[in-house]
Amino acid sequence: MNSLGVNIGETVVNIAVLVKQVPDTNSKIQISGDRVDLSTVKMDISPYDEFAVENALQHKESGGGTVTAITVGSAGADKVLKGVKALGVDNIIRLDCDSYMDSNALQSILAQEISSGGYDVVYCGKSAADTGAGSTGPGLAERLGWGSVSNITDITFDGGLTVTSPSEGGNAIISVTLPAVVSCDKGSTKVRKSNVKGIMMAKKAQVDVKAVAAPVSSVSIVSHMMPPAKPAGKKFEGGESAQTVAQLLRDEANII
Amino acid sequence: MSDTIVIAELSKGKMSHTTNELVTAANKLGTSCTVIVPCLDSSVATDASKISGVTKVIAAKSDVFASYDAAAWAEAIDTVAPSGTMITSASAQSKDLAARIAARRSISVVQDVISIDGTTLSTPIYSGKAIQNVSINGDAVISVRANIFPPSDNNGNCEMQVIDTTGNVSTAIKEMVQRASQRLDVSEANIIISGGRGMGTPANFSHLEEIADKLGAAVGASRAAVDTWDEIPHSMQVGQTGKTVNPNLYIAVGISGAIQHLAGMRSSKYIVAINKDADAPIFQHADYGIVATWEEALPVLSSSLSSLLG
């Protein structure tokens, strides 16, 4: 300990967690014109991001540190930041942007923010429920020159990090050296819920809104459309018809 | 159009059939196609030189390919790959790698491509509830879904080069835990049989397992089943917050067809639904629907499969 009573030997980890606002996964998606119309859709935090936030908070609780949640979007996305603030996140940052960015543009502005913030570790969901791409975690890590582990289902904090990640035929138990980006799947993690006190505090919290200068996107959206409708199938009554269906799988579908 | 580069997909150290599909996709995008084979031993790369439509094969030989480390793999592959648009499979690991290589080259990545028309690519969004068409300007890294593009045949013969390469490993695997069951994971399987809350109890999933074993299928579950029963792990969950799958055959048993679940399996080639409720939404997506309880239908299905499969 130093003269101020601060234990300087203790590592204080500077933790970032990336969160994204997406349509609730139970919602119907509709197209108007040639674009998805989200005007009547309920928006929420992307489900896997909840596990990223939980792991970030547990990381802090294991040995001290601060957790900063970062999102990219317009003012509407502040709701998601307030939601994670209520769970115990220390700081909330929104990189202000209202237009489509391709992965190169998005990861560039995130890499700038993570570099200037001096973070030791970044948590994110394994993919966002809108694009399902899962590019941000590994892409960000590459730009920062960091290691990364993806789709982790379990994590323990033992000075460093030990994570469980699916691998061909089973799971790999991997020891991760910081700095690193950790993308999180659901796994065995149980996420905490916010309480009234947390929600009240979050209401008053200020979102740190930052302007960004993103490089030009080389990928552009041409149109959205509904998936092609499937022709009507054959429907049978009663358990005995399973025999007919098995025969059709062989004779008509040629798959068994 | 510029050169295209395919990153070969390997399964258990052997060339995967998916690589042939990736070559078909590459030939839609460009005139020449270089296949990079990440390997410990370059002999596996000769399989790639036989795929029709391949111009050149580079066996990228390195110790880093013994186990997956995203940073090291991206560095090793980037070092040997020429510039151009790069194509990988859309397996979880290859999507991760695609994102890293794109970032390394400061170009964009487009994941889960299901159709290619000139420079316009289609990808499912909201887990397939809608399709997004994007156009790419310049080089990109593209991951392509399996079972979409017809595989290129093996009547080719092109030159092969072996290049030793290396990358910096930043994670260390302490231990590999093999799955207790020999059964495939839903993300790896060509046939999936899934159960929902209509199965009544988690113990009844044994009836699905019995059929899975006959078909060489994986056993999946709906979110309702995973949320209700601790015995059904999240790794089995098919749907928007589980795994998105597109097998040749998907059999849904006691699953009503919540939008969440449909999003994860609707692109399966053939769908069979067994449900006692004739109005269940799953029937709208089924090629073959059976209105019956699973107790009535599964024993019949099981014995019919036994006699068909001998």
Side-chain angles (χ1 to χ4, degrees), chain A residues 51-172:
Chain A
F51 303 104
V53 171
E54 181 59 38
N55 286 334
L57 291 171
Q58 287 188 17
H59 192 166
K60 173 187 168 177
E61 286 155 7
S62 75
T66 55
V67 177
T68 303
I70 302 170
T71 197
V72 179
S74 54
D78 285 351
K79 187 186 137 204
V80 163
L81 291 173
K82 300 270 179 135
V84 298
K85 174 76 184 171
L87 295 171
V89 164
D90 300 292
N91 310 307
I92 44 179
I93 296 174
R94 177 165 57 82
L95 305 180
D96 192 33
C97 170
D98 200 17
S99 53
Y100 169 79
M101 273 190 269
D102 66 7
S103 67
N104 186 47
L106 177 73
Q107 292 165 19
S108 298
I109 62 165
L110 284 172
Q112 281 170 30
E113 182 60 27
I114 298 300
S115 298
S116 64
Y119 296 99
D120 302 303
V121 59
V122 175
Y123 288 92
C124 61
K126 75 164 185 175
S127 62
D130 49 2
T131 66
S135 303
T136 304
L140 176 63
E142 184 64 41
R143 280 159 209 272
L144 295 166
W146 294 7
S148 62
V149 279
S150 293
N151 311 327
I152 68 141
T153 53
D154 216 341
I155 187 165
T156 50
F157 308 98
D158 42 14
L161 298 179
T162 301
V163 303
T164 305
S165 175
S167 150
E168 198 173 42
N171 284 314

Side-chain angles (χ1 to χ4, degrees), chain A residues 22-29 31 36 38 47-48 100 102-105 107 126-127 129-143 145-151 158 161-162 167-177 183 185-187 190 217-228 230-250 252-256, chain B residues 10-13 69-71 74-75 92-93 95-96 99-104 106-112 120 122 124-137 139-140 170-179 188 191 215 223 226-227 230 234 237 239-243 248-249 251 259-260 266 268-272 278-279 283-293 296-297 300-301 304-305 308-309:
Chain A
V22 299
D24 184 299
T25 54
N26 290 312
S27 60
K28 259 205 170 112
I29 298 295
I31 307 268
V36 164
L38 299 177
Y48 295 115
Y100 169 79
D102 66 7
S103 67
N104 186 47
Q107 292 165 19
K126 75 164 185 175
S127 62
D130 49 2
T131 66
S135 303
T136 304
L140 176 63
E142 184 64 41
R143 280 159 209 272
W146 294 7
S148 62
V149 279
S150 293
N151 311 327
D158 42 14
L161 298 179
T162 301
S167 150
E168 198 173 42
N171 284 314
I173 315 288
I174 304 169
S175 130
V176 183
T177 313
S183 99
D185 197 352
K186 182 177 180 182
K190 294 264 184 284
S217 289
S218 63
V219 175
S220 51
I221 298 173
V222 177
S223 62
H224 292 140
M225 58 191 196
M226 295 310 279
K230 241 183 138 146
K234 295 176 179 162
K235 205 165 162 187
F236 306 92
E237 294 283 337
E240 284 303 317
S241 61
Q243 190 183 353
T244 315
V245 169
Q247 197 66 47
L248 284 168
L249 287 173
R250 162 144 299 184
E252 196 174 75
N254 294 314
I255 38 176
I256 60 165
Chain B
L10 272 64
S11 171
K12 299 187 174 76
D69 177 275
E75 183 183 351
Q93 180 179 302
K95 281 173 69 173
D96 194 62
R100 269 211 93 122
I101 295 176
R104 201 175 167 82
S106 293
I107 56 179
S108 260
V109 57
V110 181
Q111 305 275 21
D112 296 299
T120 302
S122 303
I125 52 172
Y126 311 110
S127 295
K129 289 178 195 169
I131 308 289
Q132 175 161 280
N133 300 315
V134 299
S135 77
I136 50 169
N137 178 15
D139 293 341
S170 60
T171 59
I173 294 184
K174 286 185 179 172
E175 191 187 346
M176 291 295 296
V177 184
Q178 295 301 316
R179 251 196 311 276
E188 300 167 355
I191 300 180
L215 290 168
R223 185 171 82 175
V226 172
D227 287 352
D230 288 341
H234 178 254
Q237 186 177 322
Q240 197 168 4
T241 52
K243 286 169 180 141
N248 277 328
L249 173 60
I251 306 175
I259 193 157
Q260 233 266 355
R266 62 186 298 161
S268 304
K269 207 163 191 176
Y270 281 92
I271 296 170
V272 173
D279 296 323
F283 285 123
Q284 290 164 25
H285 299 267
D287 298 277
Y288 306 118
I290 300 169
V291 184
T293 64
E296 292 159 353
V300 180
L301 183 62
S304 306
L305 289 172
L308 280 173
L309 300 167

Side-chain angles (χ1 to χ4, degrees), chain B residues 52-294:
Chain B
S52 300
V54 177
T55 324
K56 184 184 177 181
V57 170
I58 298 174
K61 193 164 160 272
S62 175
D63 292 342
V64 302
F65 298 124
S67 60
Y68 184 64
D69 177 275
W73 281 45
E75 183 183 351
I77 290 169
D78 181 42
T79 308
V80 303
S83 64
T85 287
M86 198 177 275
I87 297 171
T88 73
S89 103
S91 65
Q93 180 179 302
S94 294
K95 281 173 69 173
D96 194 62
L97 181 64
R100 269 211 93 122
I101 295 176
R104 201 175 167 82
R105 296 188 162 195
S106 293
I107 56 179
S108 260
V109 57
V110 181
Q111 305 275 21
D112 296 299
V113 168
I114 53 168
S115 110
I116 297 172
D117 180 7
T119 53
T120 302
L121 311 173
S122 303
T123 66
I125 52 172
Y126 311 110
S127 295
K129 289 178 195 169
I131 308 289
Q132 175 161 280
N133 300 315
V134 299
S135 77
I136 50 169
N137 178 15
D139 293 341
V141 181
I142 294 165
S143 71
V144 169
R145 282 265 177 98
N147 294 334
I148 305 272
F149 293 94
S152 187
D153 64 38
N154 287 316
N155 296 326
N157 180 20
C158 71
E159 61 162 316
M160 185 177 116
Q161 186 186 1
V162 180
I163 304 181
D164 286 306
T165 181
T166 186
N168 283 307
V169 176
S170 60
T171 59
I173 294 184
K174 286 185 179 172
E175 191 187 346
M176 291 295 296
V177 184
Q178 295 301 316
R179 251 196 311 276
S181 144
Q182 289 300 305
R183 210 167 281 116
L184 291 167
D185 185 80
V186 289
S187 60
E188 300 167 355
N190 256 325
I191 300 180
I192 298 169
I193 180 163
S194 287
R197 212 155 37 184
M199 292 305 293
T201 68
N204 287 333
F205 273 64
S206 62
H207 299 280
L208 304 178
E209 286 163 9
E210 182 195 321
I211 290 174
D213 290 341
K214 288 187 176 150
L215 290 168
V219 178
S222 69
R223 185 171 82 175
V226 172
D227 287 352
T228 310
W229 299 309
D230 288 341
E231 295 87 341
I232 310 292
H234 178 254
S235 58
M236 284 169 67
Q237 186 177 322
V238 172
Q240 197 168 4
T241 52
K243 286 169 180 141
T244 301
V245 297
N246 55 333
N248 277 328
L249 173 60
Y250 189 90
I251 306 175
V253 187
I255 294 176
S256 62
I259 193 157
Q260 233 266 355
H261 188 74
L262 293 172
M265 47 61 80
R266 62 186 298 161
S267 63
S268 304
K269 207 163 191 176
Y270 281 92
I271 296 170
V272 173
I274 300 172
N275 203 295
K276 64 180 177 187
D277 175 9
D279 296 323
I282 190 82
F283 285 123
Q284 290 164 25
H285 299 267
D287 298 277
Y288 306 118
I290 300 169
V291 184
T293 64
W294 65 263

Side-chain angles (χ1 to χ4, degrees), chain A residues 1-6 8:
Chain A
M1 268 199 247
N2 69 5
S3 57
L4 295 169
V6 175
I8 51 173

